């Protein structure tokens, strides 16, 4: 049952990633789910905003906190198309995210299993469940085709 929900929410994150690509952003999308409803969604906006912290995860976390009226996102799951970096994984810890479900692994920056795992670090005051590889092929293909188009210009 949960696998079907995970795939469905990831499809929403993938739709946001496709929107990012249309705008010339690296195609990464994220949604935050609370009580079986999407309460926030965002895509990368680093180029549009000229902000190195404008990652899809951080933008979605900010929206979710505003929606709930609390920085504590207890009971929330974050779905993102690419394995989060250390900054985004750290933000999930600070926000008390319950679960992170991601698509493609990030061999150069992923910090929820690849280069490290901040989500389960024993020295930190919060840990969360990590579910990798949901719709990974679609997420990876979006990234591959985006960078292929950039290189061919």
């Amino acid at each position: 049952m949960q696998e079907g929900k995970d795939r469905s929410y990831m499809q929403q994150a993938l739709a946001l990633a496709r929107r990012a690509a249309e705008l010339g952003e690296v195609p990464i999308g994220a949604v935050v789910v609370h009580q079986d409803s999407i309460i926030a969604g965002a895509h990368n906006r680093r180029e549009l905003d000229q902000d190195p912290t404008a990652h899809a995860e951080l933008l979605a976390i900010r929206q979710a906190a505003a929606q709930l009226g609390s920085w504590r996102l207890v009971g929330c799951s974050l779905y993102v198309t690419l394995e989060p970096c250390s900054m985004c994984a750290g933000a999930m810890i600070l926000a008390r995210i319950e679960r992170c479900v991601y698509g493609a692994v990030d061999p150069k920056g992923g910090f929820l299993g690849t280069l490290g795992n901040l989500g389960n670090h024993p020295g930190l005051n919060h840990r969360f469940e990590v579910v990798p590889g949901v719709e990974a092929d679609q997420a990876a293909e979006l990234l591959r085709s985006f960078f292929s188009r950039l290189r061919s210009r």
Side-chain angles (χ1 to χ4, degrees):
M1 175 102 174
Q2 186 63 47
E3 182 181 335
K5 285 183 181 181
D6 285 349
R7 293 169 66 95
S8 176
Y9 293 132
M10 187 61 73
Q11 286 299 323
Q12 298 301 309
L14 285 162
L16 289 166
R18 286 191 276 285
R19 177 73 180 127
E22 291 168 5
L23 296 170
E25 291 283 350
V26 174
I28 300 170
V31 297
V32 176
V33 173
H34 182 254
Q35 297 178 348
D36 288 328
S37 293
I38 294 174
I39 62 167
H43 57 72
N44 269 18
R45 292 188 54 93
R46 292 189 310 173
E47 296 300 328
L48 290 167
D49 297 348
Q50 288 300 296
D51 178 353
T53 69
H55 290 203
E57 301 96 317
L58 288 184
L59 298 172
I61 285 170
R62 287 180 191 141
Q63 285 179 19
Q67 180 71 25
L68 294 177
S70 175
W71 62 267
R72 291 178 185 89
L73 301 183
V74 176
C76 290
S77 297
L78 189 142
Y79 292 79
V80 61
T81 58
L82 182 66
E83 180 182 1
C85 68
S86 58
M87 175 181 68
C88 293
M92 287 180 224
I93 291 162
L94 296 173
R96 309 302 194 261
I97 289 287
E98 186 174 300
R99 236 171 140 241
C100 177
V101 179
Y102 69 82
V105 298
D106 184 356
K108 295 181 180 180
F111 249 86
L112 288 182
T114 300
L115 298 177
N117 189 350
L118 283 180
N120 195 26
H121 192 284
L124 296 173
N125 66 339
H126 177 72
R127 290 172 199 76
F128 56 89
E129 179 185 359
V130 175
V131 180
V134 175
E135 303 292 7
D137 292 343
Q138 284 186 59
E141 181 52 36
L142 266 176
L143 289 160
R144 265 193 301 278
S145 61
F146 176 81
F147 287 113
S148 176
R149 282 192 305 275
L150 277 185
R151 284 189 296 274
S152 69
R153 287 183 188 167

